[in-house]
């Protein structure tokens, strides 16, 4: 069942189109005892949480989809402080329910393979794709709660998984699909092996399917390493050496090695990932065209599914082909 992902992720990429019919997922906010009190907190120091619906189909009670929420990154302390005053950095702003389509949809007509699985959106509130692991908080008067800011994404991930294991039956799982979109897609690359290591031995099927998370370690058209520099700063600021693929770090010479920061990029993590990965990404991703290559374009996206070479055990790579791109200006 976990092999049949082609159409599901095409639907996931266009999830906004099916939101009106998507069932709402309920918020599960972690108690302070298993979050705040052990330092597993959002940027502003508040408790993290997830959105979920748990199956009432007995034969699927051990089947799960875990989905990393996306939402970009904050590249410096000022940007993170601003983010801490939103739902992407503080549970004080979390909505009580959350609708999500595609692979998380409850309608079997939209999502026949996974509609009746246990479905969980791991909410993103750390600004670094669940990779930060800094012990000391950062003084930040711009945060509205407490005046301090925390980079604890890895601890948040641990706390969310532990709550699901302790209270909702993940400890009895037999098949798990790990996914996420955009910054959550990057989270999927970074954490696939780690999440697998935290699951019980009862899991016989585990696969990862990142959507639009293969962000390029690439200079702009003008030859400026703008996005690499931004992510390098995220890695350093948040101490992401404590929260990315461990084998990647080892291959780079260890967490303190000069090139260790590159492990926050999908291509480096993917090269050292053992879990089977079904990669879906755009060949001309609109965000990357604007923010990595620094093209400013008007565009209309037409989705074209094309199989290309993928490692055995992985899924197809789905380029999203952009037609009618009209450049307004090309920098450089």
């Amino acid at each position: 069942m976990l092999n049949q992902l082609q159409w599901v992720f095409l639907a996931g990429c266009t999830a906004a189109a099916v939101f009106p019919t998507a069932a709402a997922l309920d918020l599960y906010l972690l108690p302070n005892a298993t979050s705040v009190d052990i330092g597993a907190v959002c940027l502003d120091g508040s408790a993290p949480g997830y959105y979920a619906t748990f199956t009432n189909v007995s034969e699927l009670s051990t089947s799960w989809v875990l989905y990393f929420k996306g939402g970009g990154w904050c590249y410096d302390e000022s940007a993170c402080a601003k983010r801490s005053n939103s739902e992407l950095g503080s549970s004080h702003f979390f909505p009580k329910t959350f609708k999500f389509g595609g692979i998380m949809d409850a309608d079997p007509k939209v999502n026949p393979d996974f509609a009746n699985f246990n479905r969980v959106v791991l909410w993103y509130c750390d600004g670094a794709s669940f990779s930060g692991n800094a012990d000391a908080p950062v003084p930040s008067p711009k945060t509205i709660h407490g005046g301090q800011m925390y980079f604890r994404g890895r601890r948040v991930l641990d706390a969310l998984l532990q709550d699901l294991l302790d209270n909702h039956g993940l400890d009895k799982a037999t098949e798990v699909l790990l996914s996420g979109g955009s910054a959550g897609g990057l989270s999927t690359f970074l954490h696939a092996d780690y999440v697998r290591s935290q699951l019980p031995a009862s899991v016989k099927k585990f696969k990862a399917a990142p959507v639009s998370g293969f962000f390029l370690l690439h200079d702009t058209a003008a030859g400026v390493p703008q996005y690499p520099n931004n992510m390098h700063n995220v890695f350093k600021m948040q101490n992401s050496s404590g929260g990315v693929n461990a084998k990647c770090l080892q291959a780079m010479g260890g967490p303190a090695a000069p090139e260790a920061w590159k492990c926050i990029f999908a291509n480096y993590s993917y090269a050292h990932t053992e879990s089977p990965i079904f990669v879906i990404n755009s060949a001309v991703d609109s965000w990357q065209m604007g923010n990595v290559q620094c093209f400013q374009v008007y565009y209309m996206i037409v989705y074209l599914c094309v199989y290309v070479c993928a490692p055995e055990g992985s899924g197809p790579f789905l380029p999203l082909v952009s037609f009618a791109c009209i450049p307004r200006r090309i920098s450089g």
Side-chain angles (χ1 to χ4, degrees):
M1 186 173 291
L2 292 179
N3 292 324
Q4 299 172 0
L5 304 180
Q6 292 92 326
W7 76 270
V8 174
F9 281 101
L10 184 58
C13 290
T14 56
V18 296
F19 277 3
T21 61
L25 305 175
D26 294 323
L27 172 62
Y28 291 80
L29 197 64
L30 267 58
N32 283 355
T34 58
S35 59
V36 175
D37 294 350
I38 61 172
V41 292
C42 298
L43 284 170
D44 72 331
S46 59
Y50 54 85
Y51 291 83
T53 185
F54 301 105
T55 187
N56 57 11
V57 180
S58 58
E59 58 266 32
L60 294 176
S61 63
T62 61
S63 300
W64 291 76
V65 178
L66 304 177
Y67 190 94
F68 284 114
K69 175 75 168 62
W73 311 270
C74 49
Y75 302 131
D76 56 37
E77 290 180 8
S78 177
C80 290
K82 182 177 180 180
R83 188 184 182 98
S84 73
N85 296 321
S86 75
E87 65 180 24
L88 289 174
S90 170
S91 59
H92 295 288
F93 300 95
F94 287 4
K96 294 187 181 300
T97 61
F98 179 68
K99 287 187 176 182
F100 202 72
I103 192 172
M104 302 301 289
D105 204 293
D107 186 349
K109 294 179 181 178
V110 176
N111 184 21
D113 289 309
F114 306 106
N116 291 312
F117 277 34
N118 298 290
R119 290 169 285 115
V120 181
V121 175
L122 303 169
W123 197 263
Y124 182 33
C125 68
D126 67 280
S129 289
F130 292 87
S131 69
N133 197 21
D135 288 327
V138 176
S140 181
K142 292 183 180 180
T143 57
I144 63 174
H145 300 284
Q148 291 185 315
M149 193 161 53
Y150 301 82
F151 300 136
R152 304 281 178 79
R154 168 51 73 85
R155 302 182 201 189
V156 167
L157 175 57
D158 286 340
L160 298 181
L161 291 175
Q162 196 61 54
D163 191 79
L164 291 165
L165 289 164
D166 291 344
N167 300 311
H168 295 289
L170 185 59
D171 60 318
K172 299 178 177 62
T174 58
E175 56 180 352
V176 176
L177 174 64
L178 183 70
S179 186
S182 191
L186 178 60
S187 298
T188 309
F189 280 109
L190 299 182
H191 306 305
D193 283 351
Y194 180 74
V195 170
R196 177 64 186 92
S197 74
Q198 301 304 298
L199 297 176
S202 57
V203 174
K204 303 305 179 184
K205 291 182 180 179
F206 177 85
K207 294 187 179 181
V211 181
S212 298
F214 205 97
F215 294 93
L216 299 176
L217 200 168
H218 201 288
D219 293 350
T220 68
V224 179
Q226 177 176 304
Y227 184 66
N229 286 347
N230 284 339
M231 294 304 285
H232 188 177
N233 195 52
V234 170
F235 184 90
K236 181 179 179 180
M237 174 180 66
Q238 295 228 14
N239 187 32
S240 294
S241 60
V244 296
N245 185 287
K247 290 189 176 179
C248 179
L249 290 174
Q250 183 180 4
M252 299 302 254
E259 299 289 283
W261 65 275
K262 292 182 178 179
C263 291
I264 204 170
F265 280 86
N267 54 316
Y268 280 87
S269 286
Y270 181 69
H272 300 281
T273 297
E274 296 181 355
S275 301
I277 294 186
F278 186 105
V279 180
I280 297 94
N281 215 87
S282 171
V284 273
D285 184 284
S286 62
W287 188 92
Q288 298 198 57
M289 290 173 71
N291 292 276
V292 178
Q293 289 293 340
C294 290
F295 295 139
Q296 293 188 6
V297 297
Y298 289 118
Y299 57 87
M300 176 175 64
I301 297 297
V302 177
Y303 296 97
L304 177 64
C305 298
V306 180
Y307 284 92
V308 297
C309 295
E312 185 175 353
S314 299
F317 191 95
L318 302 181
L320 306 185
V321 180
S322 177
F323 289 87
C325 284
I326 307 171
R328 295 185 63 193
R329 183 183 71 191
I330 299 178
S331 302

